[in-house]
Amino acid sequence: MIELYTAETPNGWKISIALEELGLPYHARPIALSKNEQKEEWYLKLNPNGRIPTIVDRDNGDFVVFESGAILIYLAEKTGRLMPTDPKGRSRVLQWTMFQMGGIGPMMGQANVFFRYAPEKIPYAIERYQREVRRLFEVLNRQLAEHEFLAGDYSIADICNWSWVHSYEWSGVSIEGLAHLKRWIDTIAARPAVQRGRAVPPPADLGAQDQKTLEGGRKILV
Ligand SMILES: N[C@@H](CCC(=O)N[C@@H](CS)C(=O)NCC(=O)O)C(=O)O
């Protein structure tokens, strides 16, 4: 059994989707971001960065892993799935995984902050991050023009990138003209394990404020 500390956000979905794809038994423990539960002392002992996601692997001496990229690699290596073991295949998957960790995630995150949440609308910041997100989408589109998935077979690289990219509307970034990216978004969205993982944590497990945020977000997400 794996304990997953998560919330209804892209970084959380990466892990619930991977766990669903791998068929690993897990328990999702929602963290109330609206109440800053992720900054409480008990949680900081698990995740020194005070953010979701975190896992505790009960079948491996309660081993704790934080940072979504490290969790995905841990789960892939634990099961021998969703990432090849040959050095070149593994490296290709890690390259596109790091592209998400250092590019897509932070840039879409900042686009969301300035486009959606900032009390003051700062056109320079909105345009800067939306333009960079669009550029990163074009990089993905070029790769997907020649490959069904980002790095060989469907892998953790697809899972982590998809978990952010499918909510492009929330970031106010268009995918107009990016047909290969659209095909890839739709293909992955149709996977039953992705649909199950995307629905974690279930609304019934959330506090009222987090439910409101989720409903607001769901209206706009594909
Ligand atoms: N680099 C971290 C980023 C995690 C992250 O930013 N999580 C967000 C939710 S998507 C969070 O916990 N935010 C709450 C906060 O910033 O206090 C990872 O990939 O795990």
Side-chain angles (χ1 to χ4, degrees), residues 3 35-36 48 51 54-55 69 126 146 175 191 218:
E3 193 80 34
K35 293 190 192 137
N36 254 351
R51 292 190 163 196
T54 306
I55 62 163
I126 295 172
E146 290 174 16
I175 59 162
R191 295 177 70 91
R218 283 222 168 119

Side-chain angles (χ1 to χ4, degrees), residues 7-54:
E8 64 293 354
T9 71
N11 288 318
W13 295 323
K14 291 173 193 175
I15 311 306
S16 42
I17 289 171
L19 287 164
E20 291 287 344
E21 291 282 7
L22 294 167
L24 288 172
Y26 70 102
H27 170 252
R29 158 66 160 93
I31 294 292
L33 300 182
S34 60
K35 293 190 192 137
N36 254 351
E37 199 180 4
Q38 73 279 13
K39 301 292 189 273
E40 288 178 12
E41 209 45 52
W42 69 269
Y43 186 73
L44 291 176
K45 289 200 175 98
L46 301 174
N47 185 323
N49 196 27
R51 292 190 163 196
I52 66 92
T54 306

Side-chain angles (χ1 to χ4, degrees), residues 76-93:
E77 289 180 338
K78 177 183 169 80
T79 56
R81 291 169 56 203
L82 293 176
M83 181 172 69
T85 49
D86 71 285
K88 286 183 183 165
R90 181 175 187 276
S91 172
R92 285 190 194 101
V93 166

